[in-house]
Amino acid sequence: MQFTPRNAPFLVGPNTVSALMRRVSLALVPGILAMFWYFGIGVLINLILAACAAMAFEALMLRLRGRPIAPAQGSGLNDGSALLTGLLLGLCLPPLAPWWIPVLGAFTALVLAKHLYGGLGFNPFNPAMIGYVVLLVSFPREMTQWLPVNDLLGQAPSLGDSLSWVFTGAQGLDAYTQATPLDHLKTELGLSRTVEEIISDPKFGGIGGTGWEWINLAYLLGGAYLIKSGDIDWRIPGGMLSGIAIMATLFVALDGDAYRGPAFHLFSGAAMLGAFFIATDPVSASTTPKGRIYYGLGIGVLVYLIRTWGGYPDGVAFAVLLMNIAAPTIDYYTQPRTFGEGDDLKGPGHD
Amino acid sequence: MTEFALILISTVLVNNFVLVKFLGLCPFMGVSRKLETATGMGLATTFVLTLSSICSYLVNEYILLPLGLEYLRTIAFILVIAGVVQFTEMVVHKTSPILYQVLGIFLPLITTNCAVLGVALLNVQEQHGLLHSAVYGFGAAVGFSLVLTLFAAMRERITAADVPTAFQGAPIALITAGLMSLAFMGFSGLVRG
């Protein structure tokens, strides 16, 4: 009888990188469906383009670095992380953006932000957000042409129209696109109109923007599943959402005519997507329990600052990247006390 | 009071001297390998920058302008900065020999930190008063120290990463600095002017 020696670990839990990535991708489904409902086929085109490009660049970089492309163990194309990065990037892009937008975004995300740092587990910045921010800074015109939600559009663009816009150029698309609710609010507040005048516009729904509130709710649902399955720590989304809520409550209390309340900010733009799916990237986020709260709070406060006074309509991507910069320093200063050291000695047994 | 708060926000975040104006890159790359040295360098630079912006304002206002010697401004400021750095070096040497050893060559290098001369010249160009100059210099230095500290902590983490050989060391650090600068673009438009 042949005896084959095996290496530790002998007891392997079911939790692997690919299972985690699969659960996170699954949790995105309600959000994707809601986006598809309100913005039509363009969302799916973005997702497919971004995901395929992300997988292709991942395979290319693994090959260039001389790593196995799909190993049975360890990280590779089959762990699903590139797919997830592609999906997150695709969800941030305006529907019916030209085809090279998701491809270029996937390139910066996978090559620049992930593989130059050594691939999965080493990226100091959130790859999808690097991809998004590079696009936003370089192509502001393409990146701010959002379609209005279907309810406001009357007739949704057909599949053929959508495909021809994406692949051959956006002639006539201008007639459809509008400012997003967040963008609209900022512009109109700049013209010194009061919040109450502005929100009579049909762009604004009961809580957030029309449609956007349901999209955010769908992401919240997916996020709740991830917290329940233990895949993400509640501290990060909790910190981020309370950061936004605290700032919004503070300023609406100061001047109700010039600022909108916490409910609007929590259910607008990318707040929920950012809180549950982007800020919680386990590599680029803070890793200590206390640090995660500070990290989340920092993102929330920065999102509010950039939304309200900054030059960009939504601040989630910038806020996440800025706190990614701060995460190693936060970790350094919030390392948990080793058990038995410090003040712990003053316990009941010692006095 | 609000004015000074805005100057601070503007110089620390919106117009950060390292990541937005690209001044003071040599110490930013040179002293950011370890967190402790970076913090020390940040403190020393803060001290020098605040003091030198006050001194250069005084020199400009009470010596150069009355005597009509504006054309000597750059060289006079360099002299003032060198003097302040020498003074800081003596103070650090006396009060914290360990920090003095750790900072080593970088302490005299503050003289050639372009951010220091840049702040002095910008103060003149934008016609800041005495207090305004001091706050501007202090804000610039705080912004410099902030990003230097954050960058050092990031670099400590990146040394443990499996970076491709061609990108190890300075290349990946420069890429990281570039991505940090990208993130700081999010602050643009936060404070007008």
Side-chain angles (χ1 to χ4, degrees):
Chain A
M1 183 179 157
Q2 200 182 351
F3 174 72
T4 349
R6 283 175 59 205
N7 292 327
F10 300 105
L11 293 173
V12 184
N15 220 1
T16 59
V17 172
S18 46
L20 170 71
M21 296 295 169
R22 223 170 20 243
R23 280 197 300 272
V24 177
S25 307
L26 192 72
L28 275 174
V29 168
I32 293 176
L33 288 178
M35 292 271 292
F36 174 60
W37 175 261
Y38 281 107
F39 293 107
I41 195 77
V43 175
L44 295 187
I45 300 178
N46 270 344
L47 285 174
I48 292 169
L49 278 173
C52 289
M55 308 265 276
F57 287 123
E58 169 97 354
L60 178 77
M61 283 312 283
L62 285 169
R63 205 186 147 85
L64 281 179
R65 292 173 61 219
R67 302 293 157 94
I69 288 181
Q73 280 180 336
S75 81
L77 191 57
N78 50 349
D79 65 17
S81 63
L83 176 73
L84 182 61
T85 304
L87 289 180
L88 289 175
L89 176 69
L91 284 174
C92 302
L93 300 175
L96 302 183
W99 63 271
W100 45 269
I101 286 270
V103 174
L104 203 62
F107 172 79
T108 34
L110 270 294
V111 177
L112 203 63
K114 187 175 175 193
H115 277 287
L116 288 192
Y117 285 99
L120 184 69
F122 295 117
N123 47 299
F125 297 99
N126 188 315
M129 288 305 100
I130 288 285
Y132 174 78
V133 165
V134 167
L135 290 174
L136 183 63
V137 169
S138 318
F139 309 103
R141 193 174 145 266
E142 282 80 0
M143 289 298 286
T144 44
Q145 285 192 322
W146 273 87
L147 282 182
V149 293
N150 280 349
D151 307 6
L152 304 176
L153 195 55
Q155 199 182 0
S158 67
L159 176 62
D161 276 356
S162 305
L163 285 173
S164 84
W165 271 324
V166 170
F167 288 101
T168 60
Q171 259 125 30
L173 181 61
D174 298 12
Y176 285 100
T177 56
Q178 287 181 8
T180 60
L182 271 175
D183 210 359
H184 186 70
L185 178 70
K186 187 186 275 181
T187 324
E188 295 290 309
L189 281 174
L191 300 173
S192 57
R193 298 178 61 191
T194 64
V195 165
E196 256 173 66
E197 285 167 8
I198 300 168
I199 58 170
S200 56
D201 192 284
K203 269 190 180 55
F204 296 94
I207 313 174
T210 307
W212 286 97
E213 48 204 15
W214 290 103
I215 293 170
N216 273 291
L217 211 60
Y219 284 128
L220 177 64
L221 187 74
Y225 162 73
L226 285 181
I227 288 184
K228 194 163 171 295
S229 69
D231 289 317
I232 59 175
D233 191 343
W234 61 269
R235 290 179 180 87
I236 296 174
M240 173 171 165
L241 296 178
S242 15
I244 297 180
I246 292 169
M247 290 294 284
T249 317
L250 205 67
F251 279 96
V252 93
L254 279 179
D255 185 356
D257 277 343
Y259 303 100
R260 283 217 68 181
F264 173 78
H265 279 285
L266 289 178
F267 287 94
S268 286
M272 293 293 172
L273 176 67
F276 290 101
F277 294 93
I278 292 170
T280 50
D281 171 23
V283 186
S284 56
S286 176
T287 48
T288 59
K290 217 188 277 172
R292 283 178 167 169
I293 293 184
Y294 296 141
Y295 171 83
L297 273 175
I299 295 178
V301 170
L302 285 171
V303 166
Y304 187 82
L305 287 182
I306 296 173
R307 267 186 188 179
T308 314
W309 295 286
Y312 293 96
D314 201 354
V316 173
F318 286 109
V320 168
L321 290 182
L322 286 166
M323 288 314 283
N324 283 346
I325 296 177
T329 316
I330 295 177
D331 281 357
Y332 182 86
Y333 286 108
T334 56
Q335 273 168 22
R337 189 173 44 80
T338 315
F339 183 71
E341 275 184 8
D343 291 336
D344 203 40
L345 290 178
K346 283 196 291 185
H350 291 273
D351 28 38
Chain B
M1 206 50 232
T2 330
E3 193 196 351
F4 291 124
L6 283 180
I7 297 173
L8 275 183
I9 295 174
S10 159
T11 47
V12 175
L13 301 176
V14 186
N15 296 311
N16 188 289
F17 269 74
V18 180
L19 293 178
V20 181
K21 292 194 193 235
F22 304 116
L23 287 172
L25 285 176
C26 336
F28 185 63
M29 297 304 294
V31 211
S32 53
R33 254 175 227 137
K34 287 200 82 72
L35 192 58
E36 280 86 15
T37 27
T39 329
M41 184 71 178
L43 283 177
T45 312
T46 309
F47 188 74
V48 169
L49 242 172
T50 317
L51 208 58
S52 74
S53 33
I54 296 173
C55 293
S56 53
Y57 172 81
L58 294 175
V59 166
N60 185 56
E61 198 69 17
Y62 296 106
I63 300 176
L64 296 182
L65 283 182
L67 297 178
L69 292 174
E70 288 92 343
Y71 60 93
L72 285 180
R73 188 175 287 141
T74 310
I75 205 153
F77 282 2
I78 292 176
L79 200 67
V80 169
I81 292 165
V84 175
V85 169
Q86 197 57 45
F87 172 67
T88 317
E89 196 176 348
M90 281 151 66
V91 170
V92 173
H93 193 37
K94 202 76 180 162
T95 52
S96 168
I98 302 168
L99 187 62
Y100 183 75
Q101 259 191 346
V102 168
L103 290 177
I105 182 71
F106 294 111
L107 203 52
L109 271 184
I110 299 181
T111 324
T112 55
N113 184 342
C114 30
V116 182
L117 183 63
V119 167
L121 290 174
L122 279 173
N123 271 331
V124 176
Q125 198 183 20
E126 316 238 314
Q127 297 176 329
H128 294 158
L130 177 63
L131 202 54
H132 202 134
S133 299
V135 175
Y136 194 75
F138 179 70
V142 169
F144 174 81
S145 315
L146 176 76
V147 293
L148 185 66
T149 311
L150 297 176
F151 187 54
M154 289 197 88
R155 277 188 84 173
E156 279 189 6
R157 192 168 278 193
I158 291 167
T159 29
D162 181 20
V163 177
T165 327
F167 286 93
Q168 274 165 16
I172 198 70
L174 280 168
I175 290 174
T176 312
L179 294 179
M180 283 173 79
S181 175
L182 195 68
F184 265 69
M185 289 186 79
F187 287 123
S188 65
L190 216 56
V191 178
R192 311 262 179 275

